[in-house]
Amino acid sequence: MQFLLEKKLSNKKRLATFIESDQFIYIFLTSYFILNLFFLTDFPYVHSDESWLSGLSRHILERGSISVTEPFFDAYLRYPHAIRILFHMLQAFFILIFGYHIFTFRLISLIFSMACLFIFYKLCLLILESKRLSSLCLLLLSLDIQFIYASHFARQEIIILFFLLLSFYLLLNKIDHHRYRHDLIIGSVIGLSIGFHPNSFIIAFTIGCLYIFYIAKSKLTMKNLLLLILTVSVFALIFIGLSIYMDPLYLTHYMQHGQNFGVGDSVSNKLSDFINFYSHVFNRISIEYYMPNVRFQLMLFPAVFAICLILGFNKSFKDTHLNSLLITIVSINLGLLLIGRFNVTSIVFIFPFMYLLTIYCLARNFGQYKKWLSGFLILITTFLTVIQIKPYDQSYQTYLDQITENIQDSDRVLGNLNSDYAFSDGQLLDVRNLQYLSRQGMSFADYIQTNKIDTILYYEELAFILEHSPDYNVMYGDLTPVFDEMINFLENNCQETAQFISPTYGTELWPFIDQKAWIVHVFKVIAD
């Protein structure tokens, strides 16, 4: 019995030693990367935003110009700009290596998620001063369903999160030995993020708030803040100047585009939308996007934040690391509020910092209970993730095969943007264009003839959306003015050549995916 006890203690000691070794992080990240490759294209379902972004990247590559706009939009007016140009150039580079597949673009997200985890681990070491606690924090974030979702989704959230974590780490790492070159480096990181997504504003705002905090702590000076602002401004001016070169009316067009998403709303409206944003995430209310169940996290995080805030007051806010985390979390939320564009996928920005704050709180205040509480967090996070990652009724490749089997390579097609990976560049026009036909005085028949469309993919979800108008108009716009004309054209000017059932990709309405046998009809336009 004594031998078994000693052996058990020895094994636990070896495990603890391994977790605290430098090799652990590299072995863990490598294993995590390989594991995620197995279901990279299966979870979550492929969203039209992914083909939207990659479709423009392919078009830029095909045309050899950064001034082009999305080829699948014509009546849906778009204007070129440089705010996402680095993202599209990165996607174009990956197209050259791996080809035009959803795997290619989700691989970019997965690679950036690995970089996020590595920087996050380094940040945890800096704040927690414990390899064991840092490994625990890393494990929590990597197992979180919202983080995995962002790691697989071919959008920019995970890239913006990487720049946010990197900027935060660069600031804290040398805060006691800060030099002007650090301002230049941090400013350049933030500046480069502008070329990936407008949410770079959240990074700039958050780091700016931290600079003000450290100025108050006499660790930085106003000169440091001004140098940071100057560096970021130079990058911003470059991207704005490039955008004006592409489109002389860029500023007007970009402001108009922002108005459509509530960027110019009043503070009271933004605050109301901000509250609704969290309510929607908590209650999984979404029309377009997959919404993981993160209710546990959204109950845990405010509780932890409140505890840390109380502890901060009790300690007269002398704990610099605690204050930095609290300021960062508040600043991210304020940044979202100021922008006023509340995409539910943006919720991932707070998750690393809230997990770090949670472990920090446990380590500093719960003594002997921290092991049990940490174990509970790992178990519940793992359980909530595993039960949500399950196969859909149909794979994305099956959906693409159903389309390519019934359409010729030379056909010009009107259909859903989520099918773009089945077509060559410029072959597909998206149904979102149809909402603008009545404004332009164009009939459906004129649109088909003008664009020389050979094949129409008619999704039965369109009739469902019309029946419940305007509840789901956010998906394709208001198609009421053109719907009857479209149906008449399909009946009198087209021949149905095939139809297939697509429970997963026959609709883009998230609440109804895999809820019924959605039918897709393939119509061949009959030449006059």
Side-chain angles (χ1 to χ4, degrees):
M1 182 64 71
Q2 181 67 24
F3 170 76
L4 293 176
L5 182 60
E6 289 177 356
K7 184 176 181 181
K8 184 177 180 180
L9 290 173
S10 177
N11 289 337
K12 290 179 68 175
K13 186 176 180 180
R14 280 199 294 267
L15 178 61
T17 302
F18 170 67
I19 290 175
E20 294 178 359
S21 68
D22 293 333
Q23 290 79 16
F24 168 77
I25 180 65
Y26 300 108
I27 294 174
F28 175 81
L29 290 179
T30 301
S31 303
Y32 186 82
F33 179 79
I34 294 172
L35 177 62
N36 276 268
L37 286 176
F38 284 105
F39 64 105
L40 184 60
T41 58
D42 297 324
F43 173 83
Y45 65 88
V46 178
H47 190 276
S48 60
D49 276 9
E50 298 178 273
S51 49
W52 187 328
L53 291 165
S54 64
L56 178 55
S57 299
R58 175 175 62 172
H59 196 53
I60 289 172
L61 187 63
E62 292 281 345
R63 295 297 179 90
S65 171
I66 59 174
S67 299
V68 297
T69 57
E70 296 88 337
F72 30 78
F73 296 139
D74 54 353
Y76 186 6
L77 295 179
R78 306 291 291 174
Y79 302 99
H81 61 79
I83 303 302
R84 294 195 308 255
I85 194 60
L86 295 182
F87 177 71
H88 289 300
M89 291 175 68
L90 178 63
Q91 285 198 327
F93 175 72
F94 270 69
I95 292 173
L96 291 173
I97 299 175
F98 299 103
Y100 191 71
H101 312 286
I102 184 60
F103 176 86
T104 299
F105 309 105
R106 289 194 167 187
L107 181 61
I108 296 173
S109 294
L110 183 59
I111 291 171
F112 270 94
S113 76
M114 296 298 100
C116 282
L117 290 175
F118 180 76
I119 295 297
F120 181 64
Y121 178 75
K122 301 284 285 185
L123 182 60
C124 291
L125 282 176
L126 191 64
I127 292 177
L128 298 173
E129 299 177 338
S130 165
K131 287 188 176 181
R132 190 177 302 184
L133 289 175
S134 299
S135 298
L136 170 65
C137 217
L138 173 69
L139 189 60
L140 271 174
L141 179 62
S142 65
L143 290 172
D144 183 87
I145 186 68
Q146 189 74 45
F147 182 80
I148 294 174
Y149 172 25
S151 301
H152 288 209
F153 202 32
R155 276 176 51 110
Q156 300 102 311
E157 280 79 12
I158 198 68
I159 301 177
I160 293 299
L161 180 59
F162 165 73
F163 281 111
L164 177 58
L165 287 167
L166 180 59
S167 300
F168 186 63
Y169 172 74
L170 289 173
L171 177 59
L172 263 65
N173 188 40
K174 298 293 184 181
I175 194 61
D176 292 323
H177 307 282
H178 196 89
R179 299 291 184 269
Y180 290 133
R181 67 174 181 273
H182 298 132
D183 303 318
L184 292 172
I185 294 171
I186 295 170
S188 298
V189 169
I190 298 172
L192 286 172
S193 71
I194 299 172
F196 288 86
H197 197 275
N199 275 342
S200 55
F201 170 81
I202 295 173
I203 307 175
F205 182 77
T206 300
I207 299 302
C209 289
L210 286 169
Y211 261 67
I212 293 172
F213 167 71
Y214 284 114
I215 289 172
K217 286 285 186 179
S218 300
K219 290 180 178 291
L220 296 177
T221 67
M222 282 300 299
K223 289 183 179 180
N224 295 118
L225 178 59
L226 291 174
L227 184 55
L228 176 78
I229 293 173
L230 178 62
T231 305
V232 175
S233 298
V234 168
F235 278 90
L237 288 173
I238 291 172
F239 286 114
I240 292 172
L242 190 56
S243 297
I244 293 174
Y245 172 76
M246 297 178 183
D247 173 18
L249 296 177
Y250 160 73
L251 294 176
T252 300
H253 291 151
Y254 203 71
M255 288 297 294
Q256 290 173 347
H257 182 69
Q259 295 290 341
N260 296 332
F261 293 97
V263 174
D265 286 357
S266 65
V267 175
S268 60
N269 285 342
K270 286 184 178 182
L271 183 59
S272 176
D273 291 340
F274 179 72
I275 294 171
N276 288 332
F277 164 71
Y278 268 100
S279 175
H280 289 171
V281 174
F282 185 85
N283 294 301
R284 306 182 72 196
I285 299 173
S286 175
I287 293 175
E288 302 176 71
Y289 296 100
Y290 165 75
M291 292 286 288
N293 186 343
V294 290
R295 288 177 180 171
F296 171 75
Q297 290 89 328
L298 292 186
M299 289 186 290
L300 171 70
F301 293 165
V304 169
F305 188 88
I307 291 171
C308 290
L309 198 60
I310 293 170
L311 292 173
F313 276 117
N314 289 339
K315 296 177 181 178
S316 302
F317 280 95
K318 292 180 180 179
D319 190 330
T320 304
H321 287 326
L322 174 61
N323 293 336
S324 298
L325 287 172
L326 293 174
I327 290 169
T328 298
I329 293 162
V330 171
S331 299
I332 291 171
N333 282 282
L334 280 176
L336 285 169
L337 178 62
L338 290 172
I339 292 174
R341 183 174 181 177
F342 303 106
N343 191 309
V344 290
T345 54
S346 300
I347 193 66
V348 73
F349 296 150
I350 69 166
F351 273 57
F353 302 99
M354 283 306 315
Y355 275 124
L356 179 50
L357 186 66
T358 300
I359 298 303
Y360 188 86
C361 180
L362 289 179
R364 295 293 188 274
N365 303 287
F366 287 86
Q368 60 181 342
Y369 298 106
K370 66 183 179 184
K371 290 184 178 180
W372 295 101
L373 290 173
S374 299
F376 171 75
L377 285 177
I378 292 292
L379 286 175
I380 193 68
T381 303
T382 304
F383 174 75
L384 292 174
T385 295
V386 169
I387 63 173
Q388 294 187 71
I389 299 178
K390 54 186 178 181
Y392 292 99
D393 290 349
Q394 181 189 43
S395 72
Y396 186 62
Q397 188 57 51
T398 299
Y399 168 63
L400 296 183
D401 291 342
Q402 288 174 320
I403 293 174
T404 55
E405 286 172 2
N406 295 289
I407 293 179
Q408 297 179 8
D409 293 341
S410 59
D411 283 356
R412 179 93 157 147
V413 181
L414 175 66
N416 272 13
L417 189 53
N418 69 357
S419 65
D420 188 61
Y421 295 106
F423 303 110
S424 59
D425 180 55
Q427 189 179 358
L428 175 71
L429 284 171
D430 183 45
V431 293
R432 289 170 178 81
N433 291 297
L434 302 182
Q435 62 185 296
Y436 297 100
L437 297 189
S438 60
R439 301 183 199 175
Q440 298 179 3
M442 180 180 288
S443 68
F444 182 82
D446 290 338
Y447 182 77
I448 298 299
Q449 183 177 8
T450 300
N451 289 284
K452 299 179 180 179
I453 293 172
D454 306 293
T455 302
I456 299 172
L457 294 177
Y458 173 74
Y459 293 70
E460 288 194 345
E461 72 156 344
L462 296 180
F464 177 86
I465 290 174
L466 187 72
E467 181 183 349
H468 294 85
S469 181
D471 294 349
Y472 304 115
N473 285 0
V474 67
M475 183 59 70
Y476 306 116
D478 184 9
L479 299 182
T480 305
V482 75
F483 186 81
D484 289 339
E485 186 184 355
M486 176 175 63
I487 296 300
N488 182 65
F489 184 88
L490 293 175
E491 291 176 348
N492 298 298
N493 299 85
C494 300
Q495 179 182 356
E496 184 171 1
T497 57
Q499 63 174 255
F500 56 86
I501 295 174
S502 180
T504 305
Y505 292 100
T507 180
E508 292 194 76
L509 302 172
W510 174 68
F512 302 102
I513 286 176
D514 285 348
Q515 298 302 306
K516 62 174 289 185
W518 296 100
I519 299 177
V520 181
H521 301 264
V522 182
F523 287 95
K524 188 74 174 178
V525 178
I526 300 173
D528 294 334

